[in-house]
Each structure stands twice: as structure tokens, then as C-alpha cells.
């Protein structure tokens, strides 16, 4: 499993030479952020899945900060934030809102549609959109935290299980090869 993932991960030395990333010195080049084992990969997946639901363009930044704090695999976490994209973010946020509304006792009531941009000029639309988004408030926030936590736990478990399955399979193959030798 490690060899498969290492093919796609960037080289830390190439990042050291990058002019923008060089500003962060040894923080982003700490060896534990780049070491790839069962624990760091599972932790990176969990961080990436959790931070993938952070609103706006702060997903990768929050994943990088969490990786630095918890010393998990940085590239795996950054790649795992990409499950949220323009096609998946709306269904995920609707699911989070429904989950939060259900937990808070709202029965999963549907949210009101956002204000349309065509009927308003830009500044009034931004104000209307901000008021609409603030109205979602507690159910959306609780739903996002629960959904992100659930995805993180699920991702962590799946990576640990797949890594273990791969390891046991290789052990068995080696054992069969030993028994076949004369």
C-alpha cells in the first residue's frame, strides 16, 4: 500500500525548493508530515475528510494546520479534502442541514431556497445571502460537525482495515511461497 501511495506523493525536497512553501521553513517539512505508514495515512484521511466540509476555500489550509498539529500525513490529507467540489458540496450541505435539523428536533424540515441573484444587485444580494445563511445557523453547524466527524471516523477505519488486509494478504503470499520451495 505504501508503494502505491508513494508514487503519487510529491517529494519533500521539491517542496523545500518551492519559493512560496519555503517561507514556512521546517514546519511543513517535518518528517512526520511526510512519513507514510498505516497510522499517518489513516490520520491524514480522517483529517482530510473532516476538513473537506469546512466552508469556502479554507479546506486545505485547515487540513494543513491540523496535520501540523497532529503530525499526520500532509499530502494524503490535502488530497482527501477534494471530495468536496462544486458537484458534491450542495448535497453534502443539504445532508448536514437535514441531520442537524433532525438532531435538534426540527424533523428534517427543508431549508428555504437562497435569494436569487438576478432580482437583486450585488450588494443587496450579498446582504440577503448572508441573512439567509445565518438563518440556517444551528442545524447546519451541528450537521456539518456530525457529518464531518462521521466521515472522518469512517475514513480512518476503512484505511486501517484496508492497510491491515493488504498486510495480511502479503504475509500469506510469503508463507505460501516458503512452503512451495523445495
Amino acid at each position: 500500500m505504501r508503494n502505491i501511495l508513494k508514487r503519487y506523493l510529491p517529494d519533500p525536497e521539491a517542496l523545500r525548493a518551492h519559493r512560496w512553501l519555503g517561507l514556512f521553513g521546517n514546519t511543513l517539512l517535518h518528517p512526520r508530515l511526510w512519513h507514510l505508514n498505516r497510522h499517518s495515512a489513516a490520520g491524514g484521511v480522517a483529517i482530510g475528510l473532516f476538513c473537506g466540509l469546512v466552508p469556502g476555500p479554507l479546506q486545505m489550509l485547515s487540513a494543513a494546520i491540523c496535520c501540523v498539529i497532529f503530525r499526520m500525513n500532509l499530502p494524503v490529507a490535502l488530497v482527501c479534502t477534494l471530495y468536496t467540489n462544486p458537484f458534491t458540496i450542495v448535497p453534502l450541505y443539504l445532508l448536514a442541514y437535514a441531520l442537524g435539523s433532525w438532531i435538534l428536533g426540527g424533523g428534517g424540515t427543508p431549508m428555504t431556497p437562497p435569494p436569487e441573484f438576478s432580482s437583486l444587485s450585488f450588494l443587496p444580494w450579498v446582504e440577503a445571502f448572508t441573512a439567509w445563511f445565518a438563518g440556517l445557523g444551528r442545524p447546519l453547524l451541528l450537521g456539518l460537525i456530525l457529518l464531518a466527524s462521521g466521515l472522518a471516523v469512517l475514513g480512518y477505519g476503512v484505511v486501517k482495515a484496508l492497510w491491515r488486509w493488504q498486510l495480511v494478504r502479503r504475509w500469506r503470499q510469503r508463507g505460501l511461497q516458503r512452503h512451495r520451495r523445495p
Side-chain angles (χ1 to χ4, degrees):
M1 191 71 123
R2 180 183 305 170
N3 294 334
I4 294 169
L5 291 175
K6 275 195 170 186
R7 271 188 262 162
Y8 299 105
L9 295 178
D11 181 35
E13 292 305 319
L15 294 176
R16 187 182 309 270
H18 193 274
R19 72 178 207 200
W20 291 103
L21 296 177
L23 297 174
F24 298 104
N26 292 331
T27 303
L28 288 180
L29 298 173
H30 191 280
R32 289 189 62 190
L33 296 177
W34 298 94
H35 185 70
L36 191 59
N37 60 25
R38 178 175 39 190
H39 179 68
S40 68
V45 167
I47 288 172
L49 291 176
F50 187 87
C51 292
L53 286 176
V54 171
L58 302 174
Q59 298 161 338
M60 287 193 176
L61 179 63
S62 61
I65 290 170
C66 288
C67 283
V68 168
I69 291 170
F70 297 114
R71 298 287 191 229
M72 294 296 162
N73 193 286
L74 179 64
V76 170
L78 294 179
V79 167
C80 285
T81 62
L82 297 177
Y83 77 96
T84 52
N85 55 54
F87 300 110
T88 62
I89 195 72
V90 172
L92 286 168
Y93 269 51
L94 288 173
L95 177 64
Y97 179 80
L99 179 64
S101 182
W102 178 71
I103 294 291
L104 291 174
T109 57
M111 71 171 91
T112 59
E116 291 191 26
F117 183 70
S118 60
S119 63
L120 301 171
S121 61
F122 183 70
L123 286 179
W125 178 82
V126 168
E127 291 173 4
F129 184 80
T130 304
W132 170 79
F133 195 73
L136 300 177
R138 288 180 47 200
L140 182 63
L141 181 63
L142 177 64
L144 283 173
I145 291 170
L146 291 174
L147 184 60
S149 299
L151 288 173
V153 168
L154 180 67
Y156 186 86
V158 166
V159 170
K160 284 274 198 174
L162 284 174
W163 203 293
R164 171 92 177 140
W165 172 76
Q166 180 82 5
L167 186 65
V168 168
R169 199 176 108 224
R170 285 205 176 156
W171 283 345
R172 288 183 180 154
Q173 287 174 350
R174 282 188 215 149
L176 288 174
Q177 288 175 354
R178 286 185 193 138
H179 290 301
R180 289 182 188 160
R181 291 182 189 161

